[in-house]
Amino acid sequence: MIAENIKIVKKNINEALSKSKFDNDVTLICVSKTKPVEMIIDAYEAGERNFGENKVQEIVAKAPLLPEDTVWHMIGHLQTNKVKKAVQYAEYIHSVDSLSLAQAIDKEAGKTGKIQKILCEVNIASEDSKFGLNEDSLIDLLIEISKLQNIKICGLMCVAPYTEISEENRKYFVKLREMMNKINQMNIENVNMNMLSMGMTNDYMIAIEEGATFVRVGTGIFGERNYNI
Ligand SMILES: *Cc1c(COP(=O)(O)O)cnc(C)c1O
């Protein structure tokens, strides 16, 4: 089932890329939160290498059970006390939304000589229920992060509103892309981003048409999640 689902998602990705006006390279992140390691191994065996979790504990538990070349993405809200493990395991942290968090990441990365790749999370539809920054605080934060030695700012991430009509989210993906371009043009030292982490099961094709470079697909690969077990 998982290999079949991946085939379908890959086909959809290629179709969306053919419609995209941008020459974006897209990396599929298989979002495996709440799912058992056996399912991740199925996806690995189907050729996938990038996996996303929203809890550091799940990465810590699963990572040792997968081959070394598995690439982990921390996509959920990150608490400062979990930063050490996040830096140890995650190739990318997509959810940076405060200076204190960035400083903690910088400090941990510095201890091990790692340059931690991050994206900043934007609350693109200004939803009360979501984490992430608005544009003004994003710019302020980027200026501060750009001075940190052990962090590389790669791009921006958003979680668009839940909808079954994916077209409704196009405006938010456009907005995130335009925000990134605008900030790049401000010529802030050490801030030159090229990654957009946007699009989930319901809307990744639209996100790709608008320039996504990472799409985060959970349900479309692993099926519905059950949070009650
Ligand atoms: C759970 C999650 C996803 C995947 O959502 P699906 O709708 O299952 O594809 C993507 N991004 C983040 C940040 C998530 O927490």
Side-chain angles (χ1 to χ4, degrees):
M1 171 196 99
I2 286 170
E4 267 313 299
N5 289 346
I6 288 171
K7 232 186 240 173
I8 295 166
V9 171
K10 290 273 187 182
K11 185 167 160 280
N12 289 340
I13 288 174
N14 284 330
E15 201 178 302
L17 273 173
S18 69
K19 288 190 205 162
S20 167
K21 326 178 257 301
F22 311 96
D23 63 345
N24 40 331
D25 268 338
V26 176
T27 299
L28 170 62
I29 299 174
C30 305
V31 177
S32 46
K33 65 189 188 200
T34 80
K35 298 295 181 182
V37 84
E38 292 73 25
M39 293 178 98
I40 306 179
I41 290 169
D42 282 352
Y44 183 94
E45 286 174 352
E48 295 312 303
R49 293 293 178 270
N50 289 270
F51 294 90
E53 294 282 348
N54 68 344
K55 291 200 177 115
V56 178
Q57 308 89 284
E58 281 197 61
I59 303 183
V60 171
K62 291 167 175 175
L65 305 172
L66 277 126
E68 285 267 344
D69 64 346
T70 306
V71 178
W72 294 97
H73 297 256
M74 175 58 195
I75 60 174
H77 185 65
L78 181 56
Q79 289 163 325
T80 312
N81 62 346
K82 305 272 167 58
V83 161
K84 186 185 165 85
K85 294 283 183 195
V87 168
Q88 189 181 338
Y89 288 98
E91 176 92 8
Y92 289 90
I93 298 174
H94 292 233
S95 45
V96 175
D97 61 357
S98 74
L99 183 57
S100 56
L101 177 59
Q103 286 168 332
I105 291 170
D106 182 64
K107 191 170 154 206
E108 284 303 330
K111 282 184 196 166
T112 56
K114 184 181 187 186
I115 304 291
Q116 180 66 54
K117 291 184 263 190
I118 66 143
L119 293 85
C120 287
E121 182 167 359
V122 177
N123 187 353
I124 200 72
S126 307
E127 293 173 281
D128 288 339
S129 59
K130 294 250 165 85
F131 291 106
L133 299 145
N134 64 29
E135 185 169 351
D136 287 342
S137 41
L138 170 67
I139 293 169
D140 291 344
L141 179 63
L142 287 169
I143 290 170
E144 292 306 317
I145 298 180
S146 71
K147 300 172 191 161
L148 302 175
Q149 300 287 316
N150 309 299
I151 288 184
K152 177 171 165 54
I153 303 165
C154 296
L156 302 179
M157 178 269 222
C158 76
V159 179
Y162 179 82
T163 175
E164 277 165 16
I165 307 161
S166 55
E167 198 56 54
E168 285 180 353
N169 278 343
R170 186 184 296 274
K171 58 181 177 293
Y172 298 119
F173 301 138
V174 171
K175 194 170 159 193
L176 195 71
R177 165 169 45 82
E178 289 178 348
M179 210 180 271
M180 182 173 84
N181 290 342
K182 179 180 157 191
I183 293 169
N184 281 340
Q185 283 162 12
M186 292 170 70
N187 289 319
I188 304 166
E189 202 176 329
N190 294 324
V191 180
N192 185 16
M193 305 177 281
N194 61 8
M195 294 184 173
L196 291 170
S197 172
M198 57 188 196
M200 302 168 34
T201 295
N202 286 341
D203 53 22
Y204 65 93
M205 294 177 73
I206 302 290
I208 290 168
E209 285 179 37
E210 295 304 336
T213 62
F214 283 127
V215 289
R216 309 179 310 265
V217 180
T219 311
I221 291 171
F222 298 110
E224 295 287 337
R225 285 177 293 275
N226 181 353
Y227 290 97
N228 302 318
I229 48 170

